[in-house]
Amino acid sequence: MDIRYSCNQRDFKRYTTEETRKEFLIENLYKPDEVVAVYSHVDRMVTMGCMPVNEAVPIDKGIDVWANFGTHYLLERREIGIFNIGGKGTITVDGTVYPLGYKDCLYITRGAKDVTFASDDKASPAKYYMVSAPAHCSYETRLLTLADANKRPLGSSATANKRTINQFIHPDVLKTCQLSMGMTSLDEGSVWNTMPCHTHERRMEIYMYFEVPKDNVVFHMMGEGSETRHIVMQNEQAVISPSWSIHAGCGTSNYTFIWAMGGENQEFDDMDNIPATELR
């Protein structure tokens, strides 16, 4: 497991491109029959990826749970949200099998002991993208499809940010302890996400960009609004955004991204907006 410690906004101003990427960018999430995990000390969020090909893969494969979490099993004191961005597959949670197609989501509540990932077809394996947050209570494990998500159309073609925010793991859809997750899809011809720029001091966020066409990239903006930086991101890469940082992106094409939030509250509109003319 890769461990990332917290960076403050004062030190961040002096980071080189390489240091910025090493601190916040998450690459190579999908390796055959492995679990890739990055533990961030920003709100203790864990970003994970799993691509089962030849075998069913347990959620803790290759992870020393006691050393990294101090618990007997990974979800003993955690909840997790999982999206499938690959071929069809199944997730088995304590004996219950959940089938996941493309862009389906599974929320697993705190206390689930045995979680296993599988693909229906090794030639077209599932790709499970996951974010886990600490949890102090348990609710209900639930499978969600795109039709179940709460949809919020935003932006316009005129400003190149026409998009639909699909809220999956969200208070309007189901109860969780603190984790919120969703998927934002940009219309063809739109390239900007999360406008106007904002921070939310009470929550951190993690983005995972996908459906980025071949030979295209996304310029992910971060840093304080008064002194921004960027990370050039490719398809199926994730980025950690601390609460003090803006989190926006501009692609060389339209794309889709999965966002995950954790922190003090679950108020989706709890934002500190920054006018575009004040960005530096």
Side-chain angles (χ1 to χ4, degrees), residues 117 146 229:
F117 306 107
L146 189 59
R229 302 289 188 272

Side-chain angles (χ1 to χ4, degrees), residues 152 154 165 167 170-172 180 184 198 200 203 205 259 261 265-271:
R152 294 185 58 171
L154 288 176
I165 299 175
Q167 298 168 333
H170 184 273
D172 290 341
S180 295
T184 299
H198 62 267
H200 23 74
R203 289 173 292 157
E205 195 155 3
W259 44 268
M261 291 185 283
N265 64 33
Q266 293 179 306
E267 297 297 324
F268 185 80
D269 294 316
D270 183 8
M271 305 170 183

Side-chain angles (χ1 to χ4, degrees), residues 16-28:
T16 64
T17 297
E18 181 181 358
E19 290 171 327
T20 300
R21 293 175 66 87
K22 186 176 180 179
E23 181 76 23
F24 300 103
L25 180 64
I26 301 174
E27 303 176 273
N28 303 316

Side-chain angles (χ1 to χ4, degrees), residues 17-173:
T17 297
E18 181 181 358
E19 290 171 327
T20 300
R21 293 175 66 87
K22 186 176 180 179
E23 181 76 23
F24 300 103
L25 180 64
I26 301 174
E27 303 176 273
N28 303 316
L29 276 165
Y30 307 104
K31 299 178 180 179
D33 300 319
E34 293 187 23
V35 174
V36 177
V38 176
Y39 186 116
S40 172
H41 278 266
V42 181
D43 285 303
R44 299 191 179 276
M45 301 284 273
V46 180
T47 305
M48 304 169 68
C50 180
M51 184 176 68
V53 178
N54 300 301
E55 61 186 58
V57 180
I59 194 171
D60 59 354
K61 183 178 181 180
I63 299 173
D64 189 331
V65 174
W66 179 257
N68 289 292
F69 300 101
T71 56
H72 298 93
Y73 53 96
L74 199 148
L75 298 181
E76 183 177 348
R77 295 187 58 82
R78 285 185 162 271
E79 58 188 350
I80 193 168
I82 305 169
F83 279 86
N84 181 13
I85 64 165
K88 292 181 179 180
T90 58
I91 301 176
T92 303
V93 182
D94 291 336
T96 301
V97 179
Y98 297 91
L100 273 77
Y102 188 60
K103 294 184 178 179
D104 286 347
C105 172
L106 181 66
Y107 168 76
I108 305 178
T109 191
R110 186 194 74 159
K113 291 184 178 180
D114 298 313
V115 180
T116 305
F117 306 107
S119 297
D120 289 1
D121 182 1
K122 63 183 296 183
S124 179
K127 291 182 178 180
Y128 298 108
Y129 172 71
M130 303 168 265
V131 176
S132 174
H136 62 269
C137 57
S138 300
Y139 289 102
E140 178 186 2
T141 295
R142 184 175 166 190
L143 177 65
L144 300 163
T145 68
L146 189 59
D148 297 318
N150 184 42
K151 295 172 175 56
R152 294 185 58 171
L154 288 176
S156 70
S157 298
T159 49
N161 66 351
K162 188 176 182 181
R163 62 201 189 276
T164 300
I165 299 175
N166 300 283
Q167 298 168 333
F168 283 78
I169 300 173
H170 184 273
D172 290 341
V173 180

